[in-house]
Amino acid sequence: MIRSGQLVNWLVDARTRTFELVTELEPRDMVGEAGLGLPSPTWLIGHLVWYLDRQILGRDNLLLDDAVFDPAMAPPPALLESPTFDEILPLSADVQSKVLEAIMTPDEVPAEMARQLRYAIDREDWAGEQIVAWMQSQGREGPLLIFDDEQPVRPAASRVAGDVEIPAGEGMVGAPEDDELADPGERPE
């Protein structure tokens, strides 16, 4: 089992990084057609809140409608008018507070809850990648990225003219065969 303190640290770190990506944007700037099938930052953050609320807390929040935020029910809309980012923000804080309270109570988190939380943390990383791609598709500079002791890097704005090179060292494409959170398309063939 994963200790609750480790999950708390991972969840807080992931959510902090997600919100750092959008700090330079006004709420009105986080909606709109991005093209290339990219969901808006408002939808992405709403989806993350929906997932924690639905899967971890087991609640059915009226503001976070399944028909809007469950990708299995409908494709993510690029233009999300309701709820707004200003409505999602306080709900995000409330949901995260309740999730942290739920996982800090036991010393060890039950296996199924830990699995769902690891998946939620993975979704935060996915959303971060989507937010950066959305910003670039809008012709905006990407967020300021800081890698350990290196100089900060800001991905250039582009209209999908090319990828942004970010010095990140060696990485793996896909997922190991035994990764229980990997989608089938991420597993080696």
Side-chain angles (χ1 to χ4, degrees):
M1 281 196 181
I2 298 175
R3 312 235 3 123
S4 62
Q6 183 64 57
L7 284 168
V8 166
N9 290 341
W10 288 343
L11 186 61
V12 169
D13 180 62
R15 179 55 50 95
T16 300
R17 289 175 187 268
T18 299
F19 278 98
E20 284 174 353
L21 291 173
V22 297
T23 56
E24 295 176 18
L25 298 175
E26 294 293 323
R28 70 179 181 279
D29 296 331
M30 292 198 300
V31 297
E33 185 62 49
L36 305 174
L38 295 171
S40 69
T42 299
W43 185 88
L44 288 162
I45 292 171
H47 168 73
L48 296 171
V49 176
W50 168 85
Y51 185 85
L52 287 174
D53 197 53
R54 184 68 130 157
Q55 297 301 114
I56 307 302
L57 299 177
R59 300 189 313 179
D60 191 10
N61 193 306
L62 295 177
L63 185 62
L64 299 172
D65 187 1
D66 288 350
V68 174
F69 292 107
D70 184 349
M73 294 184 76
L79 180 59
L80 177 65
E81 294 178 8
S82 179
T84 66
F85 185 74
D86 288 334
E87 292 171 323
I88 290 172
L89 192 58
L91 188 58
S92 173
D94 177 60
V95 167
Q96 180 161 335
S97 171
K98 286 181 172 53
V99 168
L100 292 175
E101 183 180 311
I103 62 178
M104 288 184 348
T105 304
D107 190 35
E108 291 188 357
V109 178
E112 178 57 21
M113 180 183 271
R115 188 183 76 73
Q116 292 287 350
L117 283 164
R118 285 183 50 225
Y119 186 76
I121 293 162
D122 182 61
R123 296 301 284 180
E124 291 272 356
D125 290 340
W126 165 81
E129 293 168 5
Q130 295 285 306
I131 289 169
V132 171
W134 183 89
M135 291 170 77
Q136 291 173 320
S137 75
Q138 297 290 308
R140 299 174 183 273
E141 288 186 329
L144 189 62
L145 304 174
I146 300 173
F147 300 100
D148 299 323
D149 296 328
E150 296 181 24
Q151 290 293 334
V153 176
R154 184 179 298 275
S158 69
R159 283 275 179 197
V160 194
D163 291 338
V164 175
E165 185 175 329
I166 300 175
E170 241 179 77
M172 178 180 80
V173 176
E177 287 187 45
D178 61 345
D179 188 337
E180 63 188 38
L181 300 177
D183 290 327
E186 297 174 320
R187 298 181 192 281
E189 293 184 10

